[in-house]
Amino acid sequence: MNKYQYKVQGVDYDVEIEEVEGNVAKVVVNGIRFDVELKQPINPSSTLKKVRVEAPKPVARPSVAPAPAAAPAAPAAPAGAGSAVKAPLPGTIIELKVNVGDKVNVGDVVLVLEAMKMQNNIESEYAGTVTAINTKPGESVMEGALLLTIG
């Protein structure tokens, strides 16, 4: 078992190579287990340094100021009104972490999106209440698709 630390485009990755059998390496990247298919098997007597583990490119998320909190006397917003949380890249929805009516803060994980065989936590850029959910687990989404709305 070999452990490595990589920095790819400013993002740190802890990579642990558990075993290599033929052309499949069992690796753990930042705590997530993967089977990595090698283009060609490596010689078992060679060092594992020849195994190249590529991390996906980080996705730039736009900086958006949090929405101002609603005044307590304000009427409830209609379903779907508020700030949109959109897919930062195409992928498949793995898990919803919130329900309509849940309160969320900036940085709370609202859902998990799988893209390029990596699970990405999608965090809220807004504070407020979830007013609508426009996706479900197992659904494929395109970049920019409306995932949910926070009012």
Side-chain angles (χ1 to χ4, degrees):
M1 194 175 333
N2 292 315
K3 293 182 181 182
Y4 301 93
Q5 291 183 331
Y6 295 100
K7 182 174 270 192
V8 179
Q9 294 182 346
V11 178
D12 291 325
Y13 294 92
D14 292 321
V15 179
E16 184 176 325
I17 301 173
E18 293 181 334
E19 65 178 304
V20 179
E21 290 183 18
N23 67 335
V24 176
K26 295 185 184 297
V27 301
V28 177
V29 180
N30 289 352
I32 301 172
R33 189 173 311 275
F34 296 95
D35 288 341
V36 179
E37 186 175 341
L38 306 171
K39 289 191 178 197
Q40 59 184 355
I42 61 172
N43 182 350
S45 63
S46 67
T47 64
L48 288 176
K49 291 181 182 178
K50 291 184 180 180
V51 176
R52 183 174 182 202
V53 178
E54 291 187 26
K57 294 181 181 177
V59 176
R61 293 191 178 142
S63 296
V64 178
S83 302
V85 175
K86 296 183 178 183
L89 66 166
T92 302
I93 304 300
I94 298 300
E95 178 182 5
L96 292 172
K97 298 278 191 175
V98 295
N99 295 306
V100 173
D102 288 355
K103 302 265 186 218
V104 295
N105 295 310
V106 174
D108 286 355
V109 176
V110 293
L111 60 89
V112 179
L113 174 77
E114 182 180 284
M116 299 179 286
K117 297 187 180 185
M118 293 287 290
Q119 291 186 1
N120 301 280
N121 289 332
I122 305 302
E123 299 174 352
S124 174
E125 295 178 355
Y126 313 100
T129 303
V130 177
T131 58
I133 297 177
N134 302 82
T135 189
K136 61 184 183 246
E139 184 176 15
S140 294
V141 295
M142 297 302 294
E143 181 176 353
L146 177 63
L147 302 174
L148 56 93
T149 307
I150 299 172

